[in-house]
Amino acid sequence: MSFFTDILSNRIFLSAAAGWLIAQILKTIIHTFFFGEFVPERLVGSGGMPSSHSATVCSLVTATCYEYGAGGYEFAIALILAIIVMYDAMGVRRETGIQAKLLNDILNVFENMGREEISAHDKLKEFVGHTPLQVLMGAILGIAVAVLLQLIW
């Protein structure tokens, strides 16, 4: 039981979790506003505005800096992790989403030609990566969440 007590009182963990949760809720609200439909998958899915990955790791970095200072190895580890996650979100994962969209478009063309046997049962996920703006907004959100929580605690 000590594990759960410890984790629920860990400010760094709670800051990162709050950054993720707030980003996912905002992502769902923004998607609903722009596309006119509530999609429950957006509450846990990747991709979209703001980047919940960026919000999570930037909240983690900010809370770690508050707790251990910028000179601590904990901060260095968190910062390097954040850089890798955000770089990946804008790179490989974004390209994967672009390719998924293209493949889905190709499948639609074949389906419209009456070639049903070629279609996939499930379309590929297109919301996988992030634009630089989505990553930036997620980073700003994560930092703001961690700073706000540090001021409250």
Side-chain angles (χ1 to χ4, degrees):
M1 210 52 168
S2 166
F3 172 80
F4 294 109
T5 305
D6 289 347
I7 200 132
L8 292 175
S9 62
N10 184 322
R11 292 185 201 187
I12 296 171
F13 171 77
L14 292 175
S15 290
W20 175 83
L21 181 64
I22 292 168
Q24 288 299 124
I25 291 169
L26 283 173
K27 181 185 303 192
T28 304
I29 292 168
I30 290 168
H31 185 273
T32 302
F33 178 78
F34 280 101
F35 294 98
E37 66 175 323
F38 174 73
V39 179
E41 190 270 334
R42 300 308 312 140
L43 287 168
V44 293
S46 59
M49 170 71 91
S51 166
S52 58
H53 289 86
S54 297
T56 303
V57 293
C58 285
S59 190
L60 176 74
V61 168
T62 304
T64 302
C65 187
Y66 268 98
E67 188 75 24
Y68 299 106
Y73 72 88
E74 300 91 345
F75 174 76
I77 292 169
L79 181 60
I80 295 300
L81 173 70
I83 291 168
I84 291 169
V85 167
M86 291 187 295
Y87 178 80
D88 182 62
M90 289 186 298
V92 175
R93 288 182 42 240
R94 183 170 180 219
E95 287 299 319
T96 300
I98 292 168
Q99 289 174 3
K101 172 127 180 57
L102 177 64
L103 289 172
N104 287 338
D105 290 345
I106 291 170
L107 286 174
N108 286 336
V109 167
F110 281 113
E111 286 174 351
N112 292 336
M113 292 172 52
R115 309 271 318 252
E116 295 291 330
E117 71 275 1
I118 297 177
S119 67
H121 293 290
D122 296 317
K123 286 194 167 197
L124 299 170
K125 285 188 176 189
E126 296 176 15
F127 285 113
V128 181
H130 296 283
T131 65
L133 179 62
Q134 292 169 340
V135 170
L136 176 64
M137 292 297 108
I140 291 169
L141 174 65
I143 292 167
V145 166
V147 168
L148 182 63
L149 289 177
Q150 294 303 315
L151 294 174
I152 292 171
W153 290 324

